[in-house]
Amino acid sequence: MAPLAELTHVTYWYPGHERPALLDVSLRIEPAEVILIVGGSGSGKSTLLRCLNGLVPHFHGGTLAGTVEVDGNDTRLARPRDLARSVGLVLQDPEGQAVMTTVEREIAFGLENQGIPSPAISRLVEEALILLGLSHLRHAELSTLSGGELQKVALAAVVATQPHLLLLDEPTSQLDPVSTEELLASVRRLAEDTGATIVLSEHRTERCLHFATRVISLDDGALVADAGTQQFAQWALPKHGMLLPPVARLFSRYGSAATADAREGVLPLTVKDARRLLPSDGPARIRRLPAATKLPHGDIAIAARKLTVGHDHENPLLENVNFVLSRGQTVAIMGENGVGKSTLVRHFIGLARPFSGKLTLLGRDVADMSVAEAAHRCAVLGQNPSDLFVKDTVAEEIAFTLHALGREEDEHGPLMSAVVHEFGLQTLLARNPRDLSGGEQTRVALAATVCGERPVLVLDEPTRGMDARHKTALSEALRRRAEAGSCVVVVTHDVEFAARLVDRVLILGDRRVLADGPTAETLDGSLFFSTQINRLLRRSLGNVLHETEVAWIDQEQ
């Protein structure tokens, strides 16, 4: 049986780049597979997806060596529009993929371009809305949707065209835990029921590794692993353990206390797997490690009193909300897609005005400040990092922020050097930030945002497109700023990242603050907003969130 797609000795250079984005990649893709692509930021994951739908080389240009065949078509000869009936791609940036004004029209757009009859379009749009849980938003303006909702709309628009090959680039990066599970289950069902093949690139392997039938790992453009999930887990353990879910990393440290399955090389990929592998006396073999010292809190950074915000006065997203955030705190704002998290933090510097109530920034009413004045006190990075870019090189982007904040010229060098080192940008300084991978763009935007050392730092989905190594570096960088007295606020759906970084969590929902408290207490016992390790061990060790907080007791010693 012929493969659905095949790459043969593919090497590709983007225009003007000395190093290839892909290096001698050969692989076959069969029908009904669910393939997970993993690797560090800039390793070639997005480029591989673009090769499969013809954007490389037809849109991006550059030099392509080797051959790519998809559904019997050589992509050198077949352009992306020729492959559109066979291949669907959902990009990392759903905002850049939208072309219409409402959800229903956006989903219908691709079908209309394929010449599908109107009655069939109506049916396919309805099915896509149901599949992605978007029926209640069918008439909504795209401009009013959250990033996660836009991500689901982009996927619905592609799924409606019923492609043979569905390519997903970071499809869960802006989705809450419940939406993530629903989306991945729908994608898996799509492969099983229709024979479609799913190829997805994703950094948060705890969300999707168990859904995959096969895992491909890229490193500097080269294919370094291609195996089933368990075989991949064993390959990753020695040097690439951060590619694995937390429960797999926990069991890899089992030592002589391991179950027979663990000793024989079977690692759990889900909490269900881990609970099955854990022996009856397993919890007794685990001890809690000493907790880290809590940071002292300083003066009030942000205070909200009876705050009501949203897009529609008749239907606000948040109503009569009260909270106080202090300097020295690291705070996560969480909640399902569309509850108003991003809308709320836009008010911190006056990018939006509340319907009622009061918001103060470092003791001053934000309503009395211009956006520029507030931005000198509070740095806010939105969900789409590319919106920040105004210069042609990474170095110029960082320098532009320092200049805009009025920092002295003799400070530019040390401040730039510090953030370049923190975010691993040494080799990217001369590059145009718009040409970078999604994860690299996020790191550049973060560096340009935090370089001014402002007392309040607000980051909306800062781990979007970011690999595990750079997430660890980001967590350390943000913790250092909190220790120096900054108030650090992250809006995130990345529960594992929040559990390691923040000391306080606010969960929004039903137009209010549903929960507000210390991280371990707030996330402990949650059905959805919790970590793999907490779900596994909560009955025996309460308030434990990640594997570094516990250790196995070797009973044979």
Side-chain angles (χ1 to χ4, degrees), residues 379-402:
V380 176
L381 177 61
Q383 290 182 5
N384 188 359
S386 61
D387 287 346
L388 183 77
F389 302 143
V390 294
K391 296 296 182 180
D392 294 330
T393 70
V394 170
E396 289 174 337
E397 284 292 347
I398 300 172
F400 178 79
T401 299
L402 294 171

Side-chain angles (χ1 to χ4, degrees), residues 175-416:
L175 297 184
D176 62 65
V178 178
S179 295
T180 294
E181 289 294 330
E182 292 174 347
L183 181 146
L184 292 173
S186 298
V187 164
R188 180 68 178 266
R189 187 167 62 249
L190 190 68
E192 293 172 347
D193 293 348
T194 69
T197 288
I198 316 298
V199 183
L200 68 154
S201 165
E202 183 63 68
H203 286 300
R204 301 181 197 177
T205 55
E206 72 276 2
R207 292 182 162 197
C208 56
L209 185 56
H210 59 291
F211 281 100
T213 58
R214 177 179 166 197
V215 185
I216 289 170
S217 181
L218 297 176
D219 185 19
D220 283 337
L223 181 64
V224 294
D226 183 354
T229 52
Q230 277 298 327
Q231 292 79 13
F232 167 77
Q234 294 302 321
W235 170 86
L237 265 182
K239 296 183 179 179
H240 307 284
M242 293 305 292
L243 293 175
L244 299 178
V247 289
R249 296 197 296 270
L250 177 67
F251 272 68
S252 72
R253 295 159 41 204
Y254 227 153
S256 57
T259 63
D261 281 343
R263 285 196 297 266
E264 291 172 6
V266 177
L267 288 172
L269 305 178
T270 66
V271 175
K272 179 182 178 181
D273 292 340
R275 193 170 287 119
R276 178 180 59 82
L277 288 176
L278 197 66
S280 58
D281 65 342
R285 301 184 186 186
I286 303 172
R287 66 180 177 88
R288 187 198 307 271
L289 296 174
T293 303
K294 297 294 184 182
L295 291 173
H297 297 160
D299 296 336
I300 293 175
I302 297 171
R305 185 172 183 274
K306 295 185 178 180
L307 195 69
T308 298
V309 303
H311 306 293
D312 179 1
H313 283 266
E314 300 299 321
N315 188 30
L317 294 171
L318 297 169
E319 194 168 18
N320 292 322
V321 168
N322 298 283
F323 59 82
V324 174
L325 309 181
S326 301
R327 299 187 66 166
Q329 277 190 323
T330 50
V331 183
I333 299 178
M334 308 180 76
E336 68 174 320
N337 294 117
V339 298
K341 302 182 299 296
S342 298
T343 300
L344 172 63
V345 299
R346 285 172 56 84
H347 289 73
F348 289 1
I349 57 171
L351 289 172
R353 296 296 182 182
F355 296 152
S356 63
K358 183 177 181 180
L359 186 75
T360 61
L361 172 63
L362 299 174
R364 287 191 58 191
D365 191 335
V366 175
D368 296 333
M369 292 186 277
S370 66
V371 172
E373 185 180 2
H376 275 71
R377 299 163 176 253
C378 174
V380 176
L381 177 61
Q383 290 182 5
N384 188 359
S386 61
D387 287 346
L388 183 77
F389 302 143
V390 294
K391 296 296 182 180
D392 294 330
T393 70
V394 170
E396 289 174 337
E397 284 292 347
I398 300 172
F400 178 79
T401 299
L402 294 171
H403 177 76
L405 291 173
R407 303 306 291 257
E408 298 294 335
E409 290 293 333
D410 59 357
E411 295 181 288
H412 286 202
L415 290 171
M416 181 181 291

Side-chain angles (χ1 to χ4, degrees), residues 27-221:
L27 61 90
R28 289 166 58 99
I29 297 175
E30 306 293 344
E33 288 193 284
V34 179
I35 300 174
L36 173 63
I37 305 177
V38 299
S41 298
S43 62
K45 303 184 300 298
S46 297
T47 302
L48 178 58
L49 297 181
R50 292 168 185 164
C51 281
L52 289 169
N53 86 326
L55 287 176
V56 166
H58 293 292
F59 177 79
H60 293 283
T63 303
L64 176 68
T67 59
V68 182
E69 292 191 2
V70 179
D71 214 11
N73 296 292
D74 186 331
T75 60
R76 289 182 183 276
L77 305 175
R79 301 181 68 83
R81 64 172 176 264
D82 304 320
L83 298 170
R85 288 184 179 273
S86 301
V87 185
L89 171 64
V90 180
L91 301 170
Q92 278 186 8
D93 177 9
E95 299 91 342
Q97 197 161 350
V99 293
M100 304 302 285
T101 56
T102 68
V103 170
E104 200 169 44
R105 294 182 64 188
E106 179 68 21
I107 298 172
F109 180 74
L111 298 167
E112 292 167 347
N113 278 320
Q114 291 185 5
I116 305 297
S118 293
I121 290 177
S122 298
R123 174 178 57 82
L124 292 169
V125 168
E126 185 66 23
E127 290 176 350
L129 287 167
I130 294 171
L131 181 68
L132 275 301
L134 294 169
S135 297
H136 65 294
L137 294 174
R138 68 172 67 242
H139 300 302
E141 298 281 336
L142 295 185
S143 60
T144 66
L145 301 185
S146 70
E149 289 169 335
L150 276 175
Q151 203 159 30
K152 289 197 281 187
V153 171
L155 179 57
V158 172
V159 167
T161 65
Q162 300 184 1
H164 300 159
L165 180 60
L166 178 58
L167 311 174
L168 307 175
D169 200 354
E170 299 285 344
T172 73
S173 62
Q174 298 185 76
L175 297 184
D176 62 65
V178 178
S179 295
T180 294
E181 289 294 330
E182 292 174 347
L183 181 146
L184 292 173
S186 298
V187 164
R188 180 68 178 266
R189 187 167 62 249
L190 190 68
E192 293 172 347
D193 293 348
T194 69
T197 288
I198 316 298
V199 183
L200 68 154
S201 165
E202 183 63 68
H203 286 300
R204 301 181 197 177
T205 55
E206 72 276 2
R207 292 182 162 197
C208 56
L209 185 56
H210 59 291
F211 281 100
T213 58
R214 177 179 166 197
V215 185
I216 289 170
S217 181
L218 297 176
D219 185 19
D220 283 337

Side-chain angles (χ1 to χ4, degrees), residues 461-472:
E461 297 293 354
T463 62
R464 177 179 174 181
M466 190 174 289
D467 60 50
R469 179 169 64 89
H470 288 108
K471 278 200 281 190
T472 299

Side-chain angles (χ1 to χ4, degrees), residues 294 503 517-525 534 543-545 549:
K294 297 294 184 182
D503 49 45
T519 304
E521 296 177 13
T522 306
L523 300 184
D524 182 49
N534 181 262
N543 295 348
V544 169
L545 297 180
E549 294 180 326

